[in-house]
């Protein structure tokens, strides 16, 4: 017998058409097979060969199906070996789970039948067994790189991090909102836009050239749609793709990436937003570390050896809060020479953000109260004298710089209308003013770049290596 939960899950998935040779074979994932506590007869495991060794008296295979960091060892008679049983080939193995003599594994699969489902051309295959290449090398093969241990691990971490973020919001009473990908607003100030056009470029005489009768764009943020929903729900969030048409080839930017965004009603304190951001980061990260210890360890061991210690510091310490004005003074007194000279009223550059984190002991830093003229129209005016600021916050983290950005929103209709008029945006955002007329509340929210979050916890230097199919200028493979 083997674990009851493994058996239950396997039976639910088991094929209704039994194998004539093994009529009661139960299909298990590699992970389910590894979790088995005792031997079990007549099981079937499918996956891809990670290694194959044939000796005079025994054949050894290691196969994996992506469900586990560790591969499952298969042992069998050498007569079961086939010519196309090679590294990378897809196989189906039927046999018995038996207790393993190896101290690093609980069970192994004693094969009675091995079927090569899909052979692999070893000569043309760009990856070799037990060969570790830099992430830049794998990036050349977007259609194949998921076959590597490194990207396998990354995608499991990404999956668990997604679930952890959803779990955090659900446990704290947030309603998940599906905000649109196609939008007529540009979330002013959030980034360059991709405008949508139909493939039929010729319009009939008198026909509106726009499919929706107005210009439409791929969303740069779901924030404004969340603000709409924050008029009916006190806590809302969204988690989906966003798009920026920035001509950047940097290690920190993508044209398509995922954003976690939240909005909270009935809050008048930036500290409330700050606390949610810190709690989200620490809770989600702790879950990922507990669910994927071996996957995370692979990155901390081979990709960024110093990251484990940095991450422990981030989780252990309270995040630091400084004002934008304090940040500028710290930068002006820094012994380093910056490419961009820090001045009050100018935006913080990546080099400034990284220095501030280093100055604060490699602990994440919240920078609050940015200059009024630096930020978009929807951020709340602090009304604080000549150096006018808004209630905005950015979270800076080691190695990355900005991870999150948020603010209190301007809920006072007269303040908002005055600013929209000065910017010439009153017509485009008349509906946004309406929100302040019908049951408005003080509210605020934030957004977190999901790929930057993964870079932060794993220590991956290039953002293109933490997303399955990276999109950036001059590159849209697949």
């Amino acid at each position: 017998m083997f674990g009851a939960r493994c058996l239950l899950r396997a039976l639910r998935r088991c094929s209704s058409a039994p194998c004539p040779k093994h009529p009661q074979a139960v299909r298990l994932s590699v992970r389910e097979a590894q979790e088995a506590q005792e031997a079990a007869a007549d099981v079937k495991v499918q996956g891809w060969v990670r290694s194959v060794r044939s000796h005079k008296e025994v054949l050894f295979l290691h196969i994996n199906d992506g469900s586990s960091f560790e591969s499952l060892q298969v042992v069998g008679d050498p007569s079961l070996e086939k010519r196309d049983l090679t590294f990378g080939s897809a196989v189906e193995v039927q046999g018995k789970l038996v207790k393993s003599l190896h101290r690093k594994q609980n069970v192994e699969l004693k094969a009675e039948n091995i079927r090569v489902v899909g052979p692999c051309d070893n000569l043309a295959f760009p990856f070799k067994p037990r060969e570790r290449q830099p992430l830049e090398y794998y990036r050349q093969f977007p259609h194949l790189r998921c076959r590597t241990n490194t990207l396998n691990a990354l995608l499991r971490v990404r999956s668990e991090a997604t679930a952890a973020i959803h779990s955090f919001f659900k446990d704290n009473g947030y309603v998940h909102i599906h905000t649109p990908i196609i939008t007529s607003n540009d979330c002013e100030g959030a980034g360059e836009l991709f405008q949508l056009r139909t493939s039929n470029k010729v319009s009939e005489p008198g026909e509106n050239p726009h499919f929706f009768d107005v210009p439409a764009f791929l969303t740069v943020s779901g924030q404004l749609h969340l603000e709409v929903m924050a008029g009916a729900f006190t806590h809302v969030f969204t988690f989906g793709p966003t798009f920026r048409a920035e001509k950047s080839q940097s290690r920190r930017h993508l044209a398509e990436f995922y954003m976690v965004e939240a909005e909270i009603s009935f809050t008048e304190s930036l500290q409330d937003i700050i606390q949610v951001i810190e709690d989200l980061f620490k809770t989600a990260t702790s879950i990922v570390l507990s669910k994927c210890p071996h996957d995370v360890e692979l990155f901390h061991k081979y990709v960024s050896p110093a990251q484990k210690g940095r991450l422990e510091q981030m989780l252990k310490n309270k995040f630091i809060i400084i004002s934008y004005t304090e940040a500028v003074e710290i930068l002006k007194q820094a012994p380093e020479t910056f490419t961009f000279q820090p001045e009050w009223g100018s935006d913080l550059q990546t080099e400034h953000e990284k220095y501030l984190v280093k100055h604060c002991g490699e602990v994440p830093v919240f920078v609050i109260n940015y200059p009024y003229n630096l930020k978009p129209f929807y951020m709340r005016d602090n009304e604080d004298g000549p150096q006018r600021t808004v209630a905005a916050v950015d979270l800076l983290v080691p190695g990355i710089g900005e991870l999150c950005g948020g603010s209190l929103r301007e809920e006072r209709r007269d303040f908002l209308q005055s600013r929209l008029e000065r910017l010439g945006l009153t017509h485009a955002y008349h509906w946004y003013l309406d929100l302040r007329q019908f049951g408005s509340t003080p509210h605020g929210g934030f957004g977190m770049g999901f790929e930057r979050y993964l870079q932060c916890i794993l220590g991956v230097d290039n953002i293109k290596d933490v997303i399955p199919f990276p999109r950036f200028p001059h590159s849209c493979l697949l």
Side-chain angles (χ1 to χ4, degrees), residues 96-226:
K96 295 181 174 63
L97 281 179
V98 298
K99 184 73 176 174
S100 177
L101 298 177
H102 199 289
R103 61 183 177 85
K104 290 187 177 181
Q105 58 194 24
N106 183 49
V107 295
E108 60 191 22
L109 182 56
K110 187 175 181 181
E112 295 175 354
N113 183 56
I114 299 174
R115 182 169 72 93
V116 177
V117 177
C120 177
D121 183 348
N122 269 183
L123 294 177
F125 197 48
F127 313 129
K128 306 303 175 189
R130 293 180 294 279
E131 182 179 81
R132 192 175 301 280
Q133 296 283 1
L135 294 174
E136 292 84 352
Y137 175 78
Y138 299 143
R139 209 182 303 147
Q140 300 174 76
F141 310 98
H143 57 308
L144 295 173
R145 66 177 187 160
C146 60
R147 311 283 185 92
T148 66
N149 286 338
T150 305
L151 266 294
N152 236 229
L154 178 278
L155 294 172
R156 279 190 297 272
V157 169
R158 189 180 172 101
S159 178
E160 288 293 351
T162 300
I165 289 167
H166 278 273
S167 176
F168 171 84
F169 284 119
K170 182 178 180 181
D171 291 347
N172 285 280
Y174 286 73
V175 176
H176 182 202
I177 304 296
H178 293 114
T179 53
I181 291 174
I182 299 174
T183 177
S184 58
N185 80 67
D186 63 1
C187 202
E188 190 263 343
E192 298 295 325
L193 299 160
F194 285 104
Q195 185 167 353
L196 294 177
R197 299 187 187 278
T198 61
S199 57
N200 181 9
K201 298 179 182 179
V202 180
S203 300
E204 295 294 327
E207 181 185 3
N208 191 315
H210 298 295
F211 183 87
F212 298 103
D213 292 339
V214 294
F217 312 94
L218 293 178
T219 184
V220 296
S221 169
Q223 178 207 315
L224 298 186
H225 296 97
L226 282 186

Side-chain angles (χ1 to χ4, degrees), residues 55 132 136 143 171 183 298 325-326 356 375 385 389 398:
H55 298 284
R132 192 175 301 280
E136 292 84 352
H143 57 308
D171 291 347
T183 177
L298 181 147
T325 301
E326 290 173 317
L356 290 170
K375 294 297 184 180
T389 66

Side-chain angles (χ1 to χ4, degrees), residues 106-396:
N106 183 49
V107 295
E108 60 191 22
L109 182 56
K110 187 175 181 181
E112 295 175 354
N113 183 56
I114 299 174
R115 182 169 72 93
V116 177
V117 177
C120 177
D121 183 348
N122 269 183
L123 294 177
F125 197 48
F127 313 129
K128 306 303 175 189
R130 293 180 294 279
E131 182 179 81
R132 192 175 301 280
Q133 296 283 1
L135 294 174
E136 292 84 352
Y137 175 78
Y138 299 143
R139 209 182 303 147
Q140 300 174 76
F141 310 98
H143 57 308
L144 295 173
R145 66 177 187 160
C146 60
R147 311 283 185 92
T148 66
N149 286 338
T150 305
L151 266 294
N152 236 229
L154 178 278
L155 294 172
R156 279 190 297 272
V157 169
R158 189 180 172 101
S159 178
E160 288 293 351
T162 300
I165 289 167
H166 278 273
S167 176
F168 171 84
F169 284 119
K170 182 178 180 181
D171 291 347
N172 285 280
Y174 286 73
V175 176
H176 182 202
I177 304 296
H178 293 114
T179 53
I181 291 174
I182 299 174
T183 177
S184 58
N185 80 67
D186 63 1
C187 202
E188 190 263 343
E192 298 295 325
L193 299 160
F194 285 104
Q195 185 167 353
L196 294 177
R197 299 187 187 278
T198 61
S199 57
N200 181 9
K201 298 179 182 179
V202 180
S203 300
E204 295 294 327
E207 181 185 3
N208 191 315
H210 298 295
F211 183 87
F212 298 103
D213 292 339
V214 294
F217 312 94
L218 293 178
T219 184
V220 296
S221 169
Q223 178 207 315
L224 298 186
H225 296 97
L226 282 186
E227 285 197 61
V228 171
M229 295 298 168
F233 303 94
T234 59
H235 295 74
V236 290
F237 83 101
T238 191
F239 188 170
T242 51
F243 306 85
R244 306 281 167 89
E246 296 170 332
K247 295 283 187 179
S248 174
Q249 293 283 1
S250 82
R251 297 170 179 268
R252 302 172 66 247
H253 295 95
L254 289 166
E256 177 184 357
F257 57 97
Y258 277 69
M259 279 274 281
V260 180
E261 299 178 272
E263 202 72 24
I264 306 163
S265 298
F266 297 98
T267 180
E268 300 180 62
S269 170
L270 198 57
Q271 181 59 45
D272 293 343
I273 309 301
I274 287 170
Q275 193 61 56
V276 174
I277 294 173
E278 183 169 347
D279 290 347
L280 170 64
F281 180 92
K282 290 182 173 178
T283 302
T285 304
S286 297
I287 292 172
V288 170
L289 292 176
S290 68
K291 296 281 189 180
C292 304
H294 300 300
D295 295 312
V296 174
E297 184 184 14
L298 181 147
F299 284 90
H300 289 175
K301 184 175 181 179
Y302 295 107
V303 176
S304 181
Q307 192 63 19
K308 182 179 180 181
R310 282 196 290 262
L311 194 58
E312 288 172 351
Q313 284 290 104
M314 287 187 248
L315 294 176
K316 182 173 65 175
N317 291 292
K318 183 75 177 169
F319 293 180
I320 293 168
I321 302 174
I322 62 174
S323 71
Y324 167 88
T325 301
E326 290 173 317
V328 170
E329 287 305 309
I330 291 170
L331 293 168
K332 283 184 174 181
Q333 296 173 22
E336 296 188 15
T337 302
F338 298 111
T339 303
F340 298 91
Q341 290 305 307
E343 293 293 339
W344 203 98
S346 298
D347 213 351
L348 299 180
Q349 302 297 318
T350 302
E351 59 179 344
H352 302 149
E353 295 168 349
K354 290 183 176 181
Y355 178 82
L356 290 170
V357 174
K358 185 172 72 172
H359 176 82
C360 293
E362 297 294 334
V363 173
V365 179
F366 288 109
V367 180
I368 64 172
N369 298 334
Y370 280 79
Y372 179 89
N373 291 327
L374 269 185
K375 294 297 184 180
F377 65 84
Y378 48 75
M379 295 193 175
R380 197 178 199 279
D381 187 348
N382 282 328
E383 300 180 88
D384 51 356
Q387 287 191 323
R388 196 174 182 183
T389 66
V390 291
V393 58
D394 286 343
L395 175 62
L396 314 180

